[in-house]
Amino acid sequence: MKDKLAELREMRAKAKLGGGQSRIDDQHAKGKLTARERLDLLLDSGTFQELGRLATHNQSDFGMAEKKFPGDGVVTGFGKIDGRRVAVYAQDFTILGGSFSEVQSHKVCKIMELAMESGIPVIGLLDSGGARIQEGVRSLAAYGELFVRNVMASGVIPQISVQMGPCAGGAVYSPALTDFIVMVRKTSYMFITGPDVIRAVTGEQVDFDTLGGAAAHNVNSGVAHFAADDELAACRLVKELLAYLPQNNSEDPPRVTPYDDPARQDASLDHLVPEDSSQPYDMRQVISSVFDRGSFLEVHAHYARNALVGLARLDGFPVGVVANQPMHLAGVLDIDSSDKIARFVRFCDAFNLPIITLVDTPGYMPGVAQEHGGIIRHGAKVIYAYCEATVPKISVVVRKAMGGAYIAMSSKQMRTDLAYAWPSAEIAVMGPEGAINILYREELRKSADPATRRRELLQDYVDRFHNPYSAADMGQIDEIIEPSSTRLRLINALEVLRSKVTSNPAKKHGVMPV
Ligand code: HXC
């Protein structure tokens, strides 16, 4: 037995070295940590329980008999983050570039299945060249096994992917099926295939960073939700994110001990919205004032900046925040911001996070590029997501709520529970200029003094619609509130709605515009 124990210890120690010391040195030289070092950063100390440490592949062709490494390029198991259970896997680039094999798939799928059964989040730390080329169709099928589990787990347990190296093929498609993607600046890349293959196939010359770096996917494609400066920051972000989320879809998100006065009023909100409604202001100021101090964790911060989405707390309870941002493109709803909002609303609904919507949008973005790009289809996602969501929904019209965007952005007809408005709200089918041009074109053409008549008509329109009173009169707005009291109103409303029960008609699933 003594010998057997020594043998086991030796094998376990070898497994700890992954692809060997020189590969570990290479990894460090690239500014990256090893899979085990990453897990140490992520998990509460001493909580990691590893599974499958000694698993290896059985392949002998392509010289693979000499390339057997215990663990086969992924470290899997369970641990705790801030005392809460999580399932984790970390790919090991030092072993065959972290390439995904049949054995990797068995290991990752095993922890995913246990995580689903026990209702605990799954976190993947990815650093992989994708399907292991030497395994052919077996590694492709292995990815298929992972994808189907990603999809089955979607909306049941939170799934977070952290990209920590060059990730290709399945190492980007699996994350794309999860809830959040965090990328590490300068060392992580995501692409379906790398610059070499692109050069061969399309002739395009592109470097790793331009093709698939953190900026490419946080700013341009919207594939990633967060960019972290380094691996430590990425792990911290995952912990911060998890603190807002329930363990699974049958739990409520965890409340933290309240630390901010629920009745706190911020008088500056009463003067934040400029008199001139074409002037911008920063919706972030509203968010940081209304929600618990410092609690806003912005998601997709660099993508489609005309919308803001993120997690925050009200009196310690986590909520999802959706807002238009007048600082960018006047807060218009375009293709990208529609995608951003719709996805986030669906996430919140899946995981029991009440949705607070702050509205200031001149409408859906007009233009040929938007129409041909499918603004109809993408814009419809916002309507679909809000209508379908059964979590508590509260909206506050801060300023403009024009046209279709008024309806889409959590109007009462989207099954919003409570609709508030600030006195600065403007709710109309369209802005004054456009409306007057359509309604009074003939009259203005015939008028002896068109400029004066135009001014009169504009003033009349503004008097009617540049306030929330006719909407309140018709019951479309439940209450017009003083901006400085917004925090308390939301906290009180959420207290009422906390036990809300509603459902959708029985169906297999709807056909969401995608
Ligand atoms: C087997 C792989 C591999 C792979 C990398 N390696 N990718 N081995 N299968 N897919 C090995 C390399 O041979 C090398 O081994 C080691 O990992 C490190 O790789 P390098 O190329 O030296 O590293 P680097 O220069 O940092 O480049 C990393 C990389 C590049 C960008 C990931 O390796 C690459 O382009 N790999 C292929 C990416 C790809 O096109 N994958 C698509 C898979 S298809 P040695 O022993 O020489 O050091 C797929 C389908 C999924 O995933 C289905 C989707 C729907």
PDB file of all heavy atoms in Angstrom, residues 29-59:
ATOM      1  N   ALA A  29       5.841  33.482 -19.678  1.00  0.00           N
ATOM      2  CA  ALA A  29       6.515  34.493 -20.502  1.00  0.00           C
ATOM      3  C   ALA A  29       5.518  35.267 -21.361  1.00  0.00           C
ATOM      4  O   ALA A  29       5.743  36.421 -21.720  1.00  0.00           O
ATOM      5  CB  ALA A  29       7.565  33.823 -21.395  1.00  0.00           C
ATOM      6  N   LYS A  30       4.384  34.606 -21.679  1.00  0.00           N
ATOM      7  CA  LYS A  30       3.339  35.303 -22.467  1.00  0.00           C
ATOM      8  C   LYS A  30       2.445  36.155 -21.575  1.00  0.00           C
ATOM      9  O   LYS A  30       1.429  36.691 -22.025  1.00  0.00           O
ATOM     10  CB  LYS A  30       2.469  34.274 -23.195  1.00  0.00           C
ATOM     11  CG  LYS A  30       3.164  33.573 -24.340  1.00  0.00           C
ATOM     12  CD  LYS A  30       2.207  32.525 -24.938  1.00  0.00           C
ATOM     13  CE  LYS A  30       2.933  31.625 -25.918  1.00  0.00           C
ATOM     14  NZ  LYS A  30       2.245  30.356 -26.142  1.00  0.00           N
ATOM     15  N   GLY A  31       2.765  36.213 -20.287  1.00  0.00           N
ATOM     16  CA  GLY A  31       1.930  36.997 -19.368  1.00  0.00           C
ATOM     17  C   GLY A  31       0.688  36.252 -18.930  1.00  0.00           C
ATOM     18  O   GLY A  31      -0.281  36.862 -18.473  1.00  0.00           O
ATOM     19  N   LYS A  32       0.714  34.912 -19.075  1.00  0.00           N
ATOM     20  CA  LYS A  32      -0.474  34.131 -18.705  1.00  0.00           C
ATOM     21  C   LYS A  32      -0.132  33.205 -17.535  1.00  0.00           C
ATOM     22  O   LYS A  32       1.009  32.757 -17.388  1.00  0.00           O
ATOM     23  CB  LYS A  32      -0.929  33.270 -19.888  1.00  0.00           C
ATOM     24  CG  LYS A  32      -1.268  34.066 -21.138  1.00  0.00           C
ATOM     25  CD  LYS A  32      -2.063  33.231 -22.146  1.00  0.00           C
ATOM     26  CE  LYS A  32      -1.276  32.101 -22.740  1.00  0.00           C
ATOM     27  NZ  LYS A  32      -2.088  31.231 -23.599  1.00  0.00           N
ATOM     28  N   LEU A  33      -1.145  32.881 -16.746  1.00  0.00           N
ATOM     29  CA  LEU A  33      -0.954  31.938 -15.649  1.00  0.00           C
ATOM     30  C   LEU A  33      -1.323  30.537 -16.128  1.00  0.00           C
ATOM     31  O   LEU A  33      -1.939  30.372 -17.184  1.00  0.00           O
ATOM     32  CB  LEU A  33      -1.827  32.332 -14.461  1.00  0.00           C
ATOM     33  CG  LEU A  33      -1.514  33.690 -13.833  1.00  0.00           C
ATOM     34  CD1 LEU A  33      -2.547  34.041 -12.765  1.00  0.00           C
ATOM     35  CD2 LEU A  33      -0.104  33.690 -13.225  1.00  0.00           C
ATOM     36  N   THR A  34      -0.999  29.551 -15.317  1.00  0.00           N
ATOM     37  CA  THR A  34      -1.412  28.191 -15.667  1.00  0.00           C
ATOM     38  C   THR A  34      -2.849  27.970 -15.188  1.00  0.00           C
ATOM     39  O   THR A  34      -3.380  28.752 -14.388  1.00  0.00           O
ATOM     40  CB  THR A  34      -0.509  27.146 -14.996  1.00  0.00           C
ATOM     41  OG1 THR A  34      -0.707  27.238 -13.580  1.00  0.00           O
ATOM     42  CG2 THR A  34       0.957  27.350 -15.334  1.00  0.00           C
ATOM     43  N   ALA A  35      -3.437  26.876 -15.657  1.00  0.00           N
ATOM     44  CA  ALA A  35      -4.825  26.573 -15.291  1.00  0.00           C
ATOM     45  C   ALA A  35      -4.979  26.511 -13.767  1.00  0.00           C
ATOM     46  O   ALA A  35      -5.927  27.060 -13.198  1.00  0.00           O
ATOM     47  CB  ALA A  35      -5.229  25.243 -15.922  1.00  0.00           C
ATOM     48  N   ARG A  36      -4.032  25.857 -13.106  1.00  0.00           N
ATOM     49  CA  ARG A  36      -4.155  25.708 -11.639  1.00  0.00           C
ATOM     50  C   ARG A  36      -3.942  27.025 -10.915  1.00  0.00           C
ATOM     51  O   ARG A  36      -4.601  27.321  -9.912  1.00  0.00           O
ATOM     52  CB  ARG A  36      -3.161  24.651 -11.132  1.00  0.00           C
ATOM     53  CG  ARG A  36      -3.584  23.262 -11.507  1.00  0.00           C
ATOM     54  CD  ARG A  36      -2.577  22.184 -11.172  1.00  0.00           C
ATOM     55  NE  ARG A  36      -2.960  20.992 -11.904  1.00  0.00           N
ATOM     56  CZ  ARG A  36      -3.948  20.187 -11.538  1.00  0.00           C
ATOM     57  NH1 ARG A  36      -4.627  20.416 -10.441  1.00  0.00           N
ATOM     58  NH2 ARG A  36      -4.257  19.129 -12.279  1.00  0.00           N
ATOM     59  N   GLU A  37      -3.014  27.818 -11.420  1.00  0.00           N
ATOM     60  CA  GLU A  37      -2.799  29.140 -10.790  1.00  0.00           C
ATOM     61  C   GLU A  37      -4.066  29.996 -10.924  1.00  0.00           C
ATOM     62  O   GLU A  37      -4.447  30.726 -10.010  1.00  0.00           O
ATOM     63  CB  GLU A  37      -1.612  29.848 -11.450  1.00  0.00           C
ATOM     64  CG  GLU A  37      -0.270  29.232 -11.081  1.00  0.00           C
ATOM     65  CD  GLU A  37       0.884  29.691 -11.990  1.00  0.00           C
ATOM     66  OE1 GLU A  37       0.634  30.235 -13.083  1.00  0.00           O
ATOM     67  OE2 GLU A  37       2.048  29.469 -11.597  1.00  0.00           O
ATOM     68  N   ARG A  38      -4.727  29.860 -12.053  1.00  0.00           N
ATOM     69  CA  ARG A  38      -5.969  30.628 -12.263  1.00  0.00           C
ATOM     70  C   ARG A  38      -7.050  30.177 -11.288  1.00  0.00           C
ATOM     71  O   ARG A  38      -7.781  30.998 -10.732  1.00  0.00           O
ATOM     72  CB  ARG A  38      -6.450  30.441 -13.704  1.00  0.00           C
ATOM     73  CG  ARG A  38      -5.561  31.152 -14.704  1.00  0.00           C
ATOM     74  CD  ARG A  38      -5.823  30.720 -16.123  1.00  0.00           C
ATOM     75  NE  ARG A  38      -5.012  31.492 -17.055  1.00  0.00           N
ATOM     76  CZ  ARG A  38      -4.814  31.191 -18.324  1.00  0.00           C
ATOM     77  NH1 ARG A  38      -5.352  30.081 -18.836  1.00  0.00           N
ATOM     78  NH2 ARG A  38      -4.086  31.959 -19.100  1.00  0.00           N
ATOM     79  N   LEU A  39      -7.155  28.868 -11.101  1.00  0.00           N
ATOM     80  CA  LEU A  39      -8.178  28.378 -10.170  1.00  0.00           C
ATOM     81  C   LEU A  39      -7.889  28.845  -8.749  1.00  0.00           C
ATOM     82  O   LEU A  39      -8.806  29.144  -7.982  1.00  0.00           O
ATOM     83  CB  LEU A  39      -8.266  26.849 -10.242  1.00  0.00           C
ATOM     84  CG  LEU A  39      -8.891  26.320 -11.542  1.00  0.00           C
ATOM     85  CD1 LEU A  39      -8.791  24.807 -11.621  1.00  0.00           C
ATOM     86  CD2 LEU A  39     -10.354  26.757 -11.664  1.00  0.00           C
ATOM     87  N   ASP A  40      -6.597  28.932  -8.424  1.00  0.00           N
ATOM     88  CA  ASP A  40      -6.232  29.451  -7.095  1.00  0.00           C
ATOM     89  C   ASP A  40      -6.721  30.888  -6.920  1.00  0.00           C
ATOM     90  O   ASP A  40      -7.151  31.280  -5.838  1.00  0.00           O
ATOM     91  CB  ASP A  40      -4.705  29.423  -6.900  1.00  0.00           C
ATOM     92  CG  ASP A  40      -4.204  28.013  -6.600  1.00  0.00           C
ATOM     93  OD1 ASP A  40      -5.046  27.145  -6.294  1.00  0.00           O
ATOM     94  OD2 ASP A  40      -2.978  27.788  -6.697  1.00  0.00           O
ATOM     95  N   LEU A  41      -6.630  31.670  -8.007  1.00  0.00           N
ATOM     96  CA  LEU A  41      -7.091  33.066  -7.926  1.00  0.00           C
ATOM     97  C   LEU A  41      -8.599  33.154  -7.786  1.00  0.00           C
ATOM     98  O   LEU A  41      -9.128  34.034  -7.115  1.00  0.00           O
ATOM     99  CB  LEU A  41      -6.711  33.832  -9.205  1.00  0.00           C
ATOM    100  CG  LEU A  41      -5.291  34.268  -9.422  1.00  0.00           C
ATOM    101  CD1 LEU A  41      -5.210  35.096 -10.709  1.00  0.00           C
ATOM    102  CD2 LEU A  41      -4.815  35.123  -8.258  1.00  0.00           C
ATOM    103  N   LEU A  42      -9.279  32.233  -8.448  1.00  0.00           N
ATOM    104  CA  LEU A  42     -10.732  32.333  -8.538  1.00  0.00           C
ATOM    105  C   LEU A  42     -11.447  31.800  -7.300  1.00  0.00           C
ATOM    106  O   LEU A  42     -12.433  32.390  -6.839  1.00  0.00           O
ATOM    107  CB  LEU A  42     -11.208  31.552  -9.781  1.00  0.00           C
ATOM    108  CG  LEU A  42     -12.699  31.602 -10.076  1.00  0.00           C
ATOM    109  CD1 LEU A  42     -13.112  33.003 -10.534  1.00  0.00           C
ATOM    110  CD2 LEU A  42     -13.069  30.588 -11.164  1.00  0.00           C
ATOM    111  N   LEU A  43     -10.952  30.696  -6.779  1.00  0.00           N
ATOM    112  CA  LEU A  43     -11.719  29.978  -5.753  1.00  0.00           C
ATOM    113  C   LEU A  43     -11.282  30.348  -4.344  1.00  0.00           C
ATOM    114  O   LEU A  43     -10.121  30.722  -4.120  1.00  0.00           O
ATOM    115  CB  LEU A  43     -11.546  28.470  -5.955  1.00  0.00           C
ATOM    116  CG  LEU A  43     -12.030  27.933  -7.306  1.00  0.00           C
ATOM    117  CD1 LEU A  43     -11.665  26.461  -7.454  1.00  0.00           C
ATOM    118  CD2 LEU A  43     -13.535  28.129  -7.463  1.00  0.00           C
ATOM    119  N   ASP A  44     -12.210  30.185  -3.396  1.00  0.00           N
ATOM    120  CA  ASP A  44     -11.844  30.362  -1.991  1.00  0.00           C
ATOM    121  C   ASP A  44     -10.742  29.355  -1.663  1.00  0.00           C
ATOM    122  O   ASP A  44     -10.812  28.188  -2.088  1.00  0.00           O
ATOM    123  CB  ASP A  44     -13.050  30.085  -1.077  1.00  0.00           C
ATOM    124  CG  ASP A  44     -14.174  31.090  -1.293  1.00  0.00           C
ATOM    125  OD1 ASP A  44     -13.956  32.096  -1.995  1.00  0.00           O
ATOM    126  OD2 ASP A  44     -15.272  30.854  -0.759  1.00  0.00           O
ATOM    127  N   SER A  45      -9.779  29.811  -0.909  1.00  0.00           N
ATOM    128  CA  SER A  45      -8.610  28.981  -0.631  1.00  0.00           C
ATOM    129  C   SER A  45      -8.999  27.625  -0.028  1.00  0.00           C
ATOM    130  O   SER A  45      -9.824  27.547   0.885  1.00  0.00           O
ATOM    131  CB  SER A  45      -7.708  29.764   0.328  1.00  0.00           C
ATOM    132  OG  SER A  45      -6.657  28.965   0.716  1.00  0.00           O
ATOM    133  N   GLY A  46      -8.421  26.567  -0.595  1.00  0.00           N
ATOM    134  CA  GLY A  46      -8.603  25.216  -0.052  1.00  0.00           C
ATOM    135  C   GLY A  46      -9.944  24.576  -0.371  1.00  0.00           C
ATOM    136  O   GLY A  46     -10.267  23.512   0.159  1.00  0.00           O
ATOM    137  N   THR A  47     -10.736  25.183  -1.254  1.00  0.00           N
ATOM    138  CA  THR A  47     -12.064  24.601  -1.518  1.00  0.00           C
ATOM    139  C   THR A  47     -12.116  23.747  -2.780  1.00  0.00           C
ATOM    140  O   THR A  47     -13.127  23.118  -3.059  1.00  0.00           O
ATOM    141  CB  THR A  47     -13.144  25.708  -1.650  1.00  0.00           C
ATOM    142  OG1 THR A  47     -12.813  26.556  -2.770  1.00  0.00           O
ATOM    143  CG2 THR A  47     -13.258  26.539  -0.392  1.00  0.00           C
ATOM    144  N   PHE A  48     -11.038  23.747  -3.555  1.00  0.00           N
ATOM    145  CA  PHE A  48     -11.113  23.046  -4.851  1.00  0.00           C
ATOM    146  C   PHE A  48     -11.091  21.534  -4.676  1.00  0.00           C
ATOM    147  O   PHE A  48     -10.210  20.976  -4.035  1.00  0.00           O
ATOM    148  CB  PHE A  48      -9.953  23.491  -5.756  1.00  0.00           C
ATOM    149  CG  PHE A  48     -10.019  22.902  -7.146  1.00  0.00           C
ATOM    150  CD1 PHE A  48     -11.197  22.935  -7.874  1.00  0.00           C
ATOM    151  CD2 PHE A  48      -8.898  22.319  -7.729  1.00  0.00           C
ATOM    152  CE1 PHE A  48     -11.269  22.389  -9.161  1.00  0.00           C
ATOM    153  CE2 PHE A  48      -8.955  21.778  -9.004  1.00  0.00           C
ATOM    154  CZ  PHE A  48     -10.144  21.815  -9.724  1.00  0.00           C
ATOM    155  N   GLN A  49     -12.097  20.870  -5.278  1.00  0.00           N
ATOM    156  CA  GLN A  49     -12.114  19.400  -5.311  1.00  0.00           C
ATOM    157  C   GLN A  49     -11.971  18.998  -6.769  1.00  0.00           C
ATOM    158  O   GLN A  49     -12.890  19.209  -7.557  1.00  0.00           O
ATOM    159  CB  GLN A  49     -13.455  18.840  -4.854  1.00  0.00           C
ATOM    160  CG  GLN A  49     -13.986  19.327  -3.535  1.00  0.00           C
ATOM    161  CD  GLN A  49     -15.426  18.838  -3.366  1.00  0.00           C
ATOM    162  OE1 GLN A  49     -15.720  17.664  -3.579  1.00  0.00           O
ATOM    163  NE2 GLN A  49     -16.312  19.734  -2.974  1.00  0.00           N
ATOM    164  N   GLU A  50     -10.837  18.418  -7.096  1.00  0.00           N
ATOM    165  CA  GLU A  50     -10.586  18.093  -8.514  1.00  0.00           C
ATOM    166  C   GLU A  50     -11.174  16.740  -8.892  1.00  0.00           C
ATOM    167  O   GLU A  50     -11.228  15.812  -8.081  1.00  0.00           O
ATOM    168  CB  GLU A  50      -9.066  18.096  -8.771  1.00  0.00           C
ATOM    169  CG  GLU A  50      -8.759  17.943 -10.251  1.00  0.00           C
ATOM    170  CD  GLU A  50      -7.301  18.195 -10.597  1.00  0.00           C
ATOM    171  OE1 GLU A  50      -6.530  18.610  -9.702  1.00  0.00           O
ATOM    172  OE2 GLU A  50      -6.939  17.978 -11.759  1.00  0.00           O
ATOM    173  N   LEU A  51     -11.597  16.631 -10.150  1.00  0.00           N
ATOM    174  CA  LEU A  51     -12.068  15.356 -10.696  1.00  0.00           C
ATOM    175  C   LEU A  51     -11.317  15.090 -12.000  1.00  0.00           C
ATOM    176  O   LEU A  51     -11.063  16.026 -12.763  1.00  0.00           O
ATOM    177  CB  LEU A  51     -13.563  15.419 -11.015  1.00  0.00           C
ATOM    178  CG  LEU A  51     -14.514  15.626  -9.839  1.00  0.00           C
ATOM    179  CD1 LEU A  51     -15.941  15.781 -10.350  1.00  0.00           C
ATOM    180  CD2 LEU A  51     -14.435  14.461  -8.870  1.00  0.00           C
ATOM    181  N   GLY A  52     -10.997  13.866 -12.258  1.00  0.00           N
ATOM    182  CA  GLY A  52     -10.402  13.493 -13.560  1.00  0.00           C
ATOM    183  C   GLY A  52      -8.975  13.959 -13.739  1.00  0.00           C
ATOM    184  O   GLY A  52      -8.532  14.152 -14.871  1.00  0.00           O
ATOM    185  N   ARG A  53      -8.223  14.070 -12.648  1.00  0.00           N
ATOM    186  CA  ARG A  53      -6.860  14.608 -12.763  1.00  0.00           C
ATOM    187  C   ARG A  53      -5.943  13.686 -13.567  1.00  0.00           C
ATOM    188  O   ARG A  53      -4.994  14.144 -14.205  1.00  0.00           O
ATOM    189  CB  ARG A  53      -6.272  14.809 -11.365  1.00  0.00           C
ATOM    190  CG  ARG A  53      -4.963  15.573 -11.411  1.00  0.00           C
ATOM    191  CD  ARG A  53      -4.190  15.499 -10.121  1.00  0.00           C
ATOM    192  NE  ARG A  53      -4.744  16.350  -9.085  1.00  0.00           N
ATOM    193  CZ  ARG A  53      -4.032  16.857  -8.075  1.00  0.00           C
ATOM    194  NH1 ARG A  53      -2.742  16.609  -7.994  1.00  0.00           N
ATOM    195  NH2 ARG A  53      -4.590  17.576  -7.153  1.00  0.00           N
ATOM    196  N   LEU A  54      -6.256  12.387 -13.538  1.00  0.00           N
ATOM    197  CA  LEU A  54      -5.334  11.445 -14.186  1.00  0.00           C
ATOM    198  C   LEU A  54      -5.831  10.966 -15.554  1.00  0.00           C
ATOM    199  O   LEU A  54      -5.202  10.110 -16.175  1.00  0.00           O
ATOM    200  CB  LEU A  54      -5.091  10.249 -13.259  1.00  0.00           C
ATOM    201  CG  LEU A  54      -4.543  10.637 -11.870  1.00  0.00           C
ATOM    202  CD1 LEU A  54      -4.358   9.393 -10.995  1.00  0.00           C
ATOM    203  CD2 LEU A  54      -3.218  11.386 -11.994  1.00  0.00           C
ATOM    204  N   ALA A  55      -6.930  11.494 -16.013  1.00  0.00           N
ATOM    205  CA  ALA A  55      -7.488  11.021 -17.299  1.00  0.00           C
ATOM    206  C   ALA A  55      -6.563  11.379 -18.455  1.00  0.00           C
ATOM    207  O   ALA A  55      -6.040  12.498 -18.522  1.00  0.00           O
ATOM    208  CB  ALA A  55      -8.853  11.665 -17.525  1.00  0.00           C
ATOM    209  N   THR A  56      -6.365  10.418 -19.371  1.00  0.00           N
ATOM    210  CA  THR A  56      -5.560  10.703 -20.576  1.00  0.00           C
ATOM    211  C   THR A  56      -6.273  10.141 -21.799  1.00  0.00           C
ATOM    212  O   THR A  56      -7.156   9.307 -21.671  1.00  0.00           O
ATOM    213  CB  THR A  56      -4.160  10.052 -20.517  1.00  0.00           C
ATOM    214  OG1 THR A  56      -4.344   8.649 -20.330  1.00  0.00           O
ATOM    215  CG2 THR A  56      -3.305  10.619 -19.411  1.00  0.00           C
ATOM    216  N   HIS A  57      -5.831  10.587 -22.959  1.00  0.00           N
ATOM    217  CA  HIS A  57      -6.446  10.064 -24.186  1.00  0.00           C
ATOM    218  C   HIS A  57      -5.852   8.699 -24.530  1.00  0.00           C
ATOM    219  O   HIS A  57      -4.831   8.292 -23.969  1.00  0.00           O
ATOM    220  CB  HIS A  57      -6.221  11.052 -25.342  1.00  0.00           C
ATOM    221  CG  HIS A  57      -4.777  11.209 -25.728  1.00  0.00           C
ATOM    222  ND1 HIS A  57      -4.080  10.266 -26.439  1.00  0.00           N
ATOM    223  CD2 HIS A  57      -3.876  12.204 -25.472  1.00  0.00           C
ATOM    224  CE1 HIS A  57      -2.840  10.661 -26.628  1.00  0.00           C
ATOM    225  NE2 HIS A  57      -2.690  11.843 -26.032  1.00  0.00           N
ATOM    226  N   ASN A  58      -6.520   8.012 -25.469  1.00  0.00           N
ATOM    227  CA  ASN A  58      -6.055   6.677 -25.858  1.00  0.00           C
ATOM    228  C   ASN A  58      -5.557   6.644 -27.280  1.00  0.00           C
ATOM    229  O   ASN A  58      -5.533   5.603 -27.914  1.00  0.00           O
ATOM    230  CB  ASN A  58      -7.211   5.659 -25.732  1.00  0.00           C
ATOM    231  CG  ASN A  58      -7.437   5.341 -24.281  1.00  0.00           C
ATOM    232  OD1 ASN A  58      -6.483   5.155 -23.535  1.00  0.00           O
ATOM    233  ND2 ASN A  58      -8.695   5.332 -23.874  1.00  0.00           N
ATOM    234  N   GLN A  59      -5.187   7.788 -27.797  1.00  0.00           N
ATOM    235  CA  GLN A  59      -4.832   7.845 -29.204  1.00  0.00           C
ATOM    236  C   GLN A  59      -3.358   7.525 -29.418  1.00  0.00           C
ATOM    237  O   GLN A  59      -2.518   7.891 -28.578  1.00  0.00           O
ATOM    238  CB  GLN A  59      -5.110   9.247 -29.730  1.00  0.00           C
ATOM    239  CG  GLN A  59      -5.606   9.217 -31.138  1.00  0.00           C
ATOM    240  CD  GLN A  59      -5.777  10.614 -31.660  1.00  0.00           C
ATOM    241  OE1 GLN A  59      -5.967  11.544 -30.892  1.00  0.00           O
ATOM    242  NE2 GLN A  59      -5.691  10.741 -32.966  1.00  0.00           N
TER     243      GLN A  59
END
